[in-house]
């Protein structure tokens, strides 16, 4: 297996090295070209606005109105300033150079201090025939060009990072094609035989000469294991202690009585479709709330904040409620077929959302997208579960979850850049296109001839929910920590933050803020998973993570935008990275002890349902309090809910029997 990993790493490293070198050269040339273009472009823009106002002023002078008698000149200048956020001030001067009317930004001193403030002046004369009556001046801070160049550098760096991650995903995808799977499977077997490892390998579809070699290797391993079992039975029958000892040594050396718990090589085939699909959805995060707000109609009797929340609530509610019931359906239809169908459904949803003109249309198409997302999620997860045993399940799910985390890192900044440069409609169209690409990847890599079967799984029942939540510790864990965590993520990070930042920042900047959550999760989750398992610190991690999430809301009160929002999103990513995996592990551990007669799948089904309901409740909670009171009150209420939930779980854990916390009691004795 190490040789296989080295082979994969070498191929990926070479491909990425070529890609990075090429992209770095293109990026450097692009930014250097931008630096030479931006300053003249800003000057031309200021000159154009100045000439426009000067032309309007000249018309007034032509009608016999002197510059000194202009009425409402400040309103015209204010409109020009509002339409062009890069300008520091706009002023009208009479023929003697005296300022007649002027509008400035709060941070600038205006025309009188332009040179000292580092502001470039663009001038257009107010002229009729051969007579000059005054001038219009526009001031542009020299820092604007520097900021634009800095933004270009940031966008290029993000694009480079995302391009590398996407290239890595697609390179890994190439190794999931049938011929590559055969190569990987054969390499895995040959390397195991070289080490004397006789554990059986996961079965895989074989064809052609390479498939014949795989079948021969598997047959040889099975033959050796069968002969060892026969010799062991014969030695046990005659009671030869020396032979028994030698056979046990042989078994231990060559692992003849062990099973292999590594996931099958075919499992990675689901990663690329999942990554691309969730990449398409994550692209919408930075601009979706503002997109809805621009189409909101306050005449329907609701505030803009609640109108914006409605499509998000419907989307999250459909995802939460439908997933438990879709699992059995996807098993009957076939996991791969269901995943492909879900990707196409979502593609139509993305495309329809981009062309929607009303909030009702947006809500309908987002509901369609939600159905597609739920189908893809349960199908991909089911694909992993169907092909892994208990010993392989964690690593198999890790492939699935890491693809979603990578999408959470890549999607928001790219979506923000596309929306910023091309518009919201283009961004939704790109998302639809990527969902179609995910469909194509699933068509190529996943089995197309799956046999439909009767589902062995059942949906979560209402009685299961009541039984789980009737246990105080489970109630505190699910409703006190799991649900508020998702309320915070969707209600604040993906609803409140984009909507507030959209009032002063472009989607590209919002996307850069939101990507920090995925970055933190991608780094923190693997480390905490190992640490919490080794140190048995799951309960403290859950409590500390939720309290740190609540404290993150303070950043919006302390720092100016967008730094406060960036620090908030980053801290929430770190805090939830600390608490997510310990929380999931605690659900299983506690559930097995307090509900021994309920299957682990049923316990986790209730957990996921409650958790996902938090994603729907979050925007409603924030939007309702925002409407009735204020944004500050909504954030304070969210912090209070998370804090009380974390403390409530800590209290319930403290009051629980010692046997529950140590695991020393039998399952049935714990109430």
């Amino acid at each position: 297996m190490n040789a296989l990993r080295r082979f994969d790493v070498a191929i990926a490293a070479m491909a990425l090295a070529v890609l990075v070198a090429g992209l770095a050269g293109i990026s450097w040339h692009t930014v250097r070209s931008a630096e030479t273009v931006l300053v003249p472009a800003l000057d031309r823009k200021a000159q154009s606005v100045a000439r426009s106002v000067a032309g309007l002023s000249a018309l007034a002078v032509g009608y016999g109105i002197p510059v000194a008698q202009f009425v409402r000149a400040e309103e015209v200048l204010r409109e020009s300033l509002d339409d062009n956020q890069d300008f520091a001030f706009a002023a009208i001067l009479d023929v003697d150079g005296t300022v007649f009317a002027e509008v400035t930004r709060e941070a600038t001193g205006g025309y009188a201090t332009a040179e000292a403030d580092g502001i470039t002046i663009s001038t257009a004369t107010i002229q009729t025939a051969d007579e000059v009556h005054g001038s219009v001046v526009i001031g542009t801070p020299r820092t604007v060009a520097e900021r634009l160049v800095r933004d270009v550098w940031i966008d290029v760096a993000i694009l480079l990072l995302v391009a590398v991650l996407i290239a890595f995903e697609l390179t890994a995808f190439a190794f999931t094609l049938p011929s590559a799977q055969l190569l990987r499977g054969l390499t895995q077997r040959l390397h195991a035989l070289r080490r004397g490892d006789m554990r059986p390998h996961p079965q895989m579809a074989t064809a052609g000469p390479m498939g014949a070699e795989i079948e021969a290797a598997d047959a040889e391993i099975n033959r050796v294991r069968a002969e060892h079992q026969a010799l062991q039975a014969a030695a046990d029958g005659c009671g030869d202690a020396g032979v028994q000892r030698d056979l046990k040594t042989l078994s231990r050396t060559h692992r003849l009585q062990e099973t292999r718990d590594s996931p099958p090589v075919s499992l990675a085939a689901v990663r690329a479709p999942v990554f691309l699909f969730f990449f398409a959805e994550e692209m919408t995060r930075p601009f979706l709330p503002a997109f809805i707000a621009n189409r909101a109609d306050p005449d329907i009797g609701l505030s803009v904040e609640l109108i914006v929340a409605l499509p998000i609530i419907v989307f999250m509610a459909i995802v939460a409620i439908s997933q438990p019931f879709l699992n059995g359906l996807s098993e009957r239809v076939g996991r791969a077929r269901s995943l492909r169908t879900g990707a196409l459904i979502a593609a139509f949803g993305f495309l329809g959302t981009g062309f929607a003109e009303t909030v009702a249309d947006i809500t309908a198409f987002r509901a369609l997208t939600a159905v597609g997302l739920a189908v893809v999620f349960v199908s991909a997860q089911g694909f992993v579960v169907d092909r892994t045993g208990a010993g392989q399940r964690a690593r198999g799910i890790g492939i699935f979850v890491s693809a979603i985390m990578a999408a959470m890192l890549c999607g928001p900044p790219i979506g923000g850049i596309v929306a910023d440069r091309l518009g919201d409609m283009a961004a939704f169209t790109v998302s639809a296109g990527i969902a179609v690409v995910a469909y194509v990847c699933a068509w190529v890599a996943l089995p197309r001839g799956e046999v439909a079967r009767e589902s062995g799984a059942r949906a979560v029942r209402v009685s299961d929910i009541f039984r789980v939540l009737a246990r105080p510790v489970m109630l505190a864990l699910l409703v006190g920590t799991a649900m508020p965590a998702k309320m915070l993520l969707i209600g604040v990070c993906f609803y409140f933050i984009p909507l507030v930042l959209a009032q002063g920042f472009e989607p590209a900047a919002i996307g850069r803020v939101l990507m920090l959550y995925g970055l933190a999760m991608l780094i923190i989750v693997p480390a905490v998973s190992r640490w919490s398992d080794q140190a048995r610190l799951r309960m403290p991690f859950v409590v500390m993570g939720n309290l740190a999430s609540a404290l993150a809301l303070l950043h919006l009160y302390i720092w100016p935008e967008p730094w406060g929002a960036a620090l908030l999103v980053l801290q929430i990513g770190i805090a939830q990275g600390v608490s997510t995996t310990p929380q999931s592990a605690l659900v299983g551990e506690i559930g097995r002890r307090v509900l021994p007669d309920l299957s682990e799948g049923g316990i986790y089904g209730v957990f996921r349902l409650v958790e996902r309901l938090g994603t729907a409740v979050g925007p409603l909670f924030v939007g309702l309090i925002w409407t009735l009171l204020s944004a500050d009150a909504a954030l304070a209420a969210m912090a209070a809910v998370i804090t009380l939930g974390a403390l409530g779980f800590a209290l319930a854990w403290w009051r629980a029997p010692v046997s529950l916390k140590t695991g020393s009691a039998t399952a049935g004795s714990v109430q």
Side-chain angles (χ1 to χ4, degrees):
M1 196 66 181
N2 291 332
L4 183 63
R5 290 196 185 99
R6 287 196 297 269
F7 175 72
D8 287 354
V9 170
I11 294 295
M14 287 188 290
L16 292 177
V18 173
L19 176 68
V20 169
L23 287 176
I26 295 172
S27 301
W28 177 262
H29 178 73
T30 299
V31 175
R32 300 306 300 175
S33 300
E35 290 177 349
T36 61
V37 169
L38 284 174
V39 174
L42 285 172
D43 289 341
R44 288 194 297 270
K45 178 181 178 181
Q47 286 284 355
S48 176
V49 173
R51 285 196 298 269
S52 176
V53 177
L56 184 64
S57 301
L59 285 175
V61 172
Y63 285 113
I65 305 173
V67 171
Q69 297 180 13
F70 281 176
V71 178
R72 301 172 67 180
E74 286 83 1
E75 293 184 15
V76 176
L77 297 177
R78 172 61 64 187
E79 184 177 347
S80 300
L81 214 61
D82 291 341
D83 292 341
N84 300 275
Q85 298 297 320
D86 296 332
F87 297 162
F89 67 84
I92 298 177
L93 281 60
D94 62 19
V95 71
D96 297 327
T98 304
V99 176
F100 163 70
E102 183 177 29
V103 175
T104 66
R105 303 278 183 204
E106 293 181 1
T108 61
Y111 177 71
T113 60
E115 184 174 353
D117 292 339
I119 295 176
T120 301
I121 299 295
S122 299
T123 304
T125 58
I126 302 173
Q127 186 173 355
T128 58
D130 296 330
E131 185 178 359
V132 175
H133 301 273
S135 60
V136 176
V137 294
I138 302 292
T140 306
R142 298 187 184 98
T143 56
V144 171
E146 298 173 1
R147 175 177 56 80
L148 292 175
V149 171
R150 182 198 65 203
D151 289 346
V152 171
W153 271 113
I154 293 173
D155 286 346
V156 167
I158 289 173
L159 286 171
L160 183 61
L161 171 64
V162 172
V164 169
L165 290 174
I166 292 176
F168 178 81
E169 294 291 342
L170 295 181
T171 302
F173 172 70
F175 286 99
T176 66
L177 300 178
S179 57
Q181 288 184 26
L182 290 174
L183 177 61
R184 289 167 61 87
L186 180 59
T187 305
Q188 187 183 65
R189 284 158 173 79
L190 293 177
H191 184 64
L193 289 173
R194 185 179 66 82
R195 293 184 290 108
D197 183 352
M198 304 302 292
R199 290 177 297 169
H201 296 267
Q203 291 185 350
M204 58 184 302
T206 56
M210 199 176 300
E213 295 295 332
I214 291 174
E215 292 174 355
D218 287 342
E220 187 65 18
I221 291 172
N222 292 333
R223 183 188 64 79
V224 171
R225 290 172 64 90
E227 288 184 1
H228 177 270
Q229 289 178 358
L231 291 172
Q232 185 72 56
D236 293 341
C238 64
D240 191 328
V243 174
Q244 288 176 330
R245 185 172 56 254
D246 292 341
L247 287 173
K248 287 181 179 179
T249 301
L250 189 67
S251 174
R252 184 173 58 255
T253 302
H254 296 284
R255 312 177 79 168
L256 286 164
Q257 294 182 347
E258 299 180 27
T259 57
R260 190 177 300 276
D261 59 0
S262 58
V265 295
S266 61
L267 203 61
V270 78
R271 182 182 174 96
V274 168
F275 168 77
L276 290 170
F277 180 84
F278 280 90
F279 179 86
E281 172 58 28
E282 293 295 327
M283 279 184 60
T284 67
R285 301 290 192 194
F287 60 88
L288 178 61
F291 176 80
I292 301 170
N294 291 336
R295 287 156 177 77
D297 182 8
D299 294 338
I300 65 175
L302 296 176
S303 67
V304 173
E305 292 80 16
L306 275 179
I307 294 174
V308 172
L310 284 176
I312 301 175
I313 294 168
V314 170
F315 180 93
M316 293 299 173
I318 290 175
V319 171
I321 295 171
S322 64
Q323 284 191 33
F325 306 99
L326 287 172
N327 184 48
L329 179 62
S330 72
E331 188 174 3
R332 289 191 296 272
V333 173
R335 304 297 194 186
R337 186 180 295 112
S338 298
L339 193 151
R340 292 191 291 267
T341 302
L344 286 182
I345 292 172
F348 283 111
F350 287 129
L351 196 61
T353 304
F355 287 92
E357 295 293 337
T358 66
V359 173
D361 294 338
I362 294 173
T363 303
F365 283 112
R366 287 301 289 168
L368 186 65
T369 309
V371 172
L373 185 143
V375 171
V376 169
F377 187 92
V378 299
S379 301
Q381 185 172 256
F383 183 90
V384 173
V385 171
D386 293 346
R387 288 160 175 78
T388 56
Q392 309 162 334
R393 184 84 24 92
R395 277 177 286 177
I397 293 294
I399 295 173
F400 169 68
V401 172
S402 62
I404 297 177
M405 289 184 179
M408 293 178 71
L409 172 61
C410 299
I414 297 301
I417 291 171
V418 174
D420 198 4
R421 303 292 188 268
L422 302 178
D424 298 341
M425 186 180 298
F428 278 114
T429 303
V430 171
S431 289
I434 294 175
V436 173
V437 175
Y439 167 85
V440 173
C441 288
W443 178 266
V444 171
L446 300 183
R448 293 193 290 273
E450 279 187 304
V451 178
R453 56 179 178 171
E454 286 301 316
S455 173
R458 66 173 179 85
V460 176
R461 297 172 178 168
V462 176
S463 60
D464 295 339
I465 300 173
F466 283 114
R467 290 180 62 194
V468 171
L469 298 184
R471 298 295 192 268
V473 177
M474 291 296 288
L475 176 66
L477 179 61
L478 270 59
V479 179
T481 65
M483 188 174 182
K486 294 302 180 183
M487 289 173 60
L488 176 67
L489 176 62
I490 304 300
V492 175
C493 292
F494 296 150
Y495 161 65
F496 181 85
I497 292 295
L499 190 57
V500 170
L501 290 185
Q503 299 174 12
F505 297 91
E506 301 295 335
I510 301 173
R512 291 194 289 269
V513 169
L514 297 184
M515 74 175 285
L516 295 174
Y517 179 84
L519 178 63
M521 291 285 286
L522 200 61
I523 295 172
I524 298 296
V525 167
V528 171
S529 298
R530 293 190 294 270
W531 192 12
S532 66
D533 280 344
Q534 295 170 3
R536 308 296 293 175
L537 294 175
R538 287 172 177 160
M539 191 283 289
F541 276 13
V542 171
V543 175
M544 289 188 301
N546 278 264
L547 292 177
S549 295
L551 290 174
L553 295 171
L554 292 174
H555 290 300
L556 291 180
Y557 298 99
I558 298 173
W559 311 103
E561 301 301 350
W563 301 107
L567 290 171
L568 178 146
V569 173
L570 180 62
Q571 184 168 325
I572 289 176
I574 295 172
Q576 295 198 357
V578 167
S579 63
T580 295
T581 49
Q583 179 179 267
S584 298
L586 275 177
V587 169
E589 287 185 1
I590 298 174
R592 283 190 297 270
R593 296 186 183 116
V594 301
L595 296 162
D597 56 336
L598 184 61
S599 69
E600 188 170 354
I603 294 170
Y604 274 103
V606 175
F607 166 58
R608 297 301 179 194
L609 179 61
V610 172
E611 188 180 48
R612 292 179 188 123
L613 285 175
T615 64
V617 173
L620 176 62
F621 180 86
V622 174
L624 191 60
I625 298 179
W626 192 356
T627 299
L628 297 176
L629 299 174
S630 67
D632 290 347
L635 295 177
M638 180 64 74
V641 168
I642 297 169
T643 301
L644 291 175
L647 296 178
F649 172 62
L651 178 62
W653 180 267
W654 177 70
R655 295 183 61 184
V658 175
S659 57
L660 176 62
K661 293 176 278 190
T662 61
S664 60
T666 62
S669 66
V670 178
Q671 301 298 325

